[in-house]
Amino acid sequence: MDAELLERLYREHSQAAILYCTALSGDEELAQDLTADAFVKAYLTLPENVPSFRYWLLRVCRNLWIDHLRKHRREVRNLPVERLATGVTPESRLLRNERSRCLWNAIASLPPPDRELVTLHYFSGVPLEEAAGLLGISYSAARQRMVRLRRTLRQRMEEQGYDF
């Protein structure tokens, strides 16, 4: 294993992976654990035909999250909306102004599959086509969902007094 390469990949992609795992789990510590595990696993299992390391990393993160849910099925509560809406996540530290917090609360209130798509595309910087592949849906379905989600988020922001 090339430690320098792994370190460089971590510097380049860790923020996106942590953000994605936090959006999935609602738990910053769990997100960091999932991300650390995902980096090693993604690095060791990277196929030749993958579009990018980030794509593969986020796919591994998602699979590790699903594995975690299966192992801890009875313990899992609906924490993401509660934790993300309270402003105790790394994302809230990044989103410094009130308008951004309002937008994040609107995103956090979305159902998990929609929140995952928005997080992948806008916060983790994954192209919509790759996000669709990660989620196992067609590009056109992802595009249609994003149109609906942008409309929903715009409406929620306007209800809070923000022009979009």
Side-chain angles (χ1 to χ4, degrees):
M1 181 181 326
D2 184 353
E4 287 183 27
L5 177 60
L6 189 58
E7 185 178 332
R8 184 178 60 81
L9 290 170
Y10 189 83
R11 277 194 315 271
E12 291 175 10
H13 303 292
S14 64
Q15 195 65 21
I18 290 171
L19 180 65
Y20 179 56
C21 288
T22 303
L24 290 174
S25 68
D27 184 331
E28 184 179 345
E29 285 181 37
L30 177 59
Q32 290 182 4
D33 290 344
L34 289 171
T35 299
D37 293 344
F39 262 95
V40 173
K41 190 170 186 171
Y43 179 78
L44 294 175
T45 62
L46 183 66
E48 289 183 26
N49 61 347
V50 73
S52 69
F53 181 78
R54 179 178 287 203
Y55 173 86
W56 183 246
L57 173 66
L58 295 177
R59 188 171 177 161
V60 171
C61 286
R62 185 170 200 265
N63 290 339
L64 287 173
W65 168 242
I66 291 169
D67 290 347
H68 177 81
L69 285 177
R70 286 184 187 134
K71 289 178 187 173
H72 301 92
R73 187 173 303 225
R74 294 172 199 240
E75 300 171 23
V76 174
R77 296 177 289 144
N78 191 16
L79 289 177
V81 172
E82 292 172 17
R83 296 270 313 269
L84 293 174
T86 61
V88 238
T89 64
E91 295 83 8
S92 67
R93 289 189 288 270
L94 297 174
L95 305 172
R96 299 187 194 282
N97 62 43
E98 189 58 37
R99 183 171 189 246
S100 295
R101 283 191 186 96
C102 183
L103 177 59
W104 184 251
N105 287 337
I107 292 168
S109 70
L110 295 171
D114 292 342
R115 185 173 59 240
E116 187 175 1
L117 180 62
V118 169
T119 303
L120 275 171
H121 184 61
Y122 288 111
F123 292 99
S124 296
V126 175
L128 196 54
E129 190 170 342
E130 288 182 23
L134 280 167
L135 299 175
I137 59 176
S138 69
Y139 172 70
S140 61
R143 195 175 68 230
Q144 289 173 347
R145 270 175 60 186
M146 286 303 292
V147 168
R148 179 181 50 82
L149 289 168
R150 280 192 287 269
R151 190 177 316 124
T152 300
L153 291 172
R154 180 178 297 117
Q155 180 182 8
R156 290 183 184 173
M157 291 294 289
E158 288 172 354
E159 288 170 0
Q160 295 296 316
Y162 294 101
D163 292 327
F164 220 74

